[in-house]
């Protein structure tokens, strides 16, 4: 059971950015599981594996000491001064406002909250990039977008962080409280106004005081012209009740009931 004439260490890397994982490959022979192996990685940690994996979390230059003992007590050792060099890394972080952007206000301001950074690289879901520290981006559509920030430390080390910005689609539908179907070109029809993009399962019903349906539609762009079912006799002047139902693009159910006045 001789010990190796020379202890040969082949690390996966000798330099890195904190934290760095390094594989210490043992190439010495003869050496197997019957030998006692002791590693000192120079940062207070060690290992008894033949080819261990160690993560350096602190920065600095670290000396590595390896001792190998054979089953009959023969010993070999090797000290490698300042063998591993670990450089400082930045920490990427950012926030954004508004916290709940929507199709009404899709412009988002991003605020860098990184530490140890001197350069910034933003990627807005592969739609646009920026090297500003605190950029602003207006999203062209609704949906969930992954935003990535990569920062650079003076040491050359980098760190990155990704967050998802959700641009929620919004629907706004307003109904007036009166209309005058007298063909004078002003308020001749009763219907909604607003933003309908993405609206689903729309239904508008209008009832007279007897509970009779005088108008119904599943098209948010279709209006009531003051005739029964839009092609019958003229509806009487008075107060009518409407019932409104639709779903938002994200499935939120909107139900509303109110009154309107028909004036002639």
């Amino acid at each position: 059971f001789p010990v190796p004439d020379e202890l040969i260490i082949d690390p996966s890397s000798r330099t890195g950015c904190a934290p760095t994982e390094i594989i210490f490959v043992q190439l010495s022979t003869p050496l197997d599981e019957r030998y006692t192996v002791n590693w000192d990685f120079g940062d207070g940690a060690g290992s008894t594996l033949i080819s261990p994996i160690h993560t350096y979390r602190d920065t600095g230059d670290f000396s590595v000491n390896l001792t190998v003992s054979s089953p009959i007590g023969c010993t070999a050792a090797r000290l490698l001064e300042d063998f591993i060099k670990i450089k400082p890394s930045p920490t990427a972080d950012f926030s954004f406002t508004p916290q709940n952007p929507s199709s009404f206000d899709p412009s988002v301001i991003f605020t860098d909250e990184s530490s140890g950074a001197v350069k910034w690289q933003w990627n807005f879901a592969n739609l646009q990039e920026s090297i500003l520290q605190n950029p602003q981006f207006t999203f062209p559509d609704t949906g969930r977008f992954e935003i990535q920030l990569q920062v650079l430390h003076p040491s050359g080390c980098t760190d990155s962080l990704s967050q998802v910005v959700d641009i929620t689609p919004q629907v706004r539908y307003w109904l007036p409280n009166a209309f005058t179907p007298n063909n004078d070109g002003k308020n001749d029809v009763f219907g909604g106004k607003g933003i309908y993009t993405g609206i689903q399962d729309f239904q508008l019903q209008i009832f007279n005081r007897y509970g009779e349906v005088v108008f119904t539609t599943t098209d948010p762009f279709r209006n009531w012209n003051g005739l029964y079912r839009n092609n019958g006799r003229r509806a009487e002047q008075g107060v009518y009740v409407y019932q409104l139902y639709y779903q938002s693009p994200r499935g939120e159910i909107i139900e509303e009931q109110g009154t309107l006045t028909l004036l002639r």
Side-chain angles (χ1 to χ4, degrees):
F1 294 105
V3 292
D5 292 332
E6 182 181 5
L7 297 180
I8 303 174
I9 303 169
D10 183 23
S12 57
S13 176
R14 289 189 57 188
T15 62
C17 301
T20 293
E21 183 181 87
I22 296 179
I23 303 172
F24 290 89
V25 180
Q26 175 70 254
L27 300 179
S28 310
T29 58
L31 187 61
D32 57 32
E33 65 277 359
R34 293 171 295 179
Y35 285 71
T36 301
V37 179
N38 284 289
W39 291 87
D40 182 348
F41 299 118
D43 63 348
S47 176
T48 58
L49 299 177
I50 294 177
S51 295
I53 300 174
H54 179 61
T55 298
Y56 285 92
R57 303 190 181 280
D58 298 325
T59 60
D61 297 341
F62 299 93
S63 299
V64 176
N65 191 13
L66 172 62
T67 302
V68 174
S69 299
S70 74
I72 60 174
C74 298
T75 300
R78 187 178 183 185
L79 174 64
L80 300 170
E81 294 281 356
D82 299 330
F83 189 57
I84 302 297
K85 300 181 182 299
I86 305 300
K87 298 179 290 184
S89 297
T91 300
D93 194 13
F94 66 91
S95 60
F96 57 87
T97 54
Q99 287 290 312
N100 299 298
S102 70
S103 54
F104 292 156
D105 185 16
S107 185
V108 179
I109 298 173
F110 294 89
T111 302
D112 170 58
E113 296 181 351
S114 307
S115 60
V118 292
K119 289 186 178 180
W120 303 264
Q121 180 69 50
W122 298 84
N123 185 314
F124 303 110
N126 294 322
L127 299 172
Q128 185 174 308
E129 294 184 347
S130 175
I131 58 173
L132 298 177
Q133 182 177 5
N134 300 300
Q136 181 173 338
F137 182 67
T138 300
F139 291 86
D141 200 357
T142 59
R144 295 175 174 87
F145 299 89
E146 183 178 1
I147 311 303
Q148 184 182 64
L149 170 62
Q150 185 178 71
V151 294
L152 177 71
H153 190 273
S155 67
C157 295
T158 62
D159 188 32
S160 62
L161 175 71
S162 295
Q163 295 190 53
V164 173
V165 174
D166 187 8
I167 309 297
T168 59
Q170 296 288 324
V171 170
R172 292 293 184 269
Y173 186 85
W174 295 278
L175 286 167
N177 56 14
F179 77 117
T180 57
N182 53 13
N183 297 319
D184 65 352
K186 298 179 181 179
N187 301 319
D188 285 330
V189 295
F190 177 82
K193 302 292 183 182
I195 299 174
Y196 310 152
T197 304
I199 199 169
Q200 304 175 71
D201 298 332
F202 178 88
Q203 185 177 47
L204 173 64
Q205 291 182 304
I206 300 175
F207 304 86
N208 61 19
R209 59 180 178 173
Y210 304 109
E212 180 183 6
V213 176
V214 297
F215 176 76
T216 183
T217 183
T218 57
D219 182 357
F221 295 96
R222 188 164 180 255
N223 302 317
W224 184 34
N225 62 12
L227 302 179
Y228 276 81
R229 305 283 182 170
N230 266 12
N231 56 14
R233 69 183 187 276
R234 295 201 317 170
E236 297 179 356
Q237 177 172 295
V239 178
Y240 293 77
V241 174
Y242 70 82
Q243 289 184 341
L244 174 66
Y245 174 94
Y246 65 86
Q247 291 189 36
S248 72
R250 293 282 176 89
E252 179 187 4
I253 295 177
I254 307 298
E255 293 183 284
E256 183 180 327
Q257 182 173 302
T259 62
L260 65 116
T261 301
L262 187 157
L263 300 172
R264 294 195 182 275

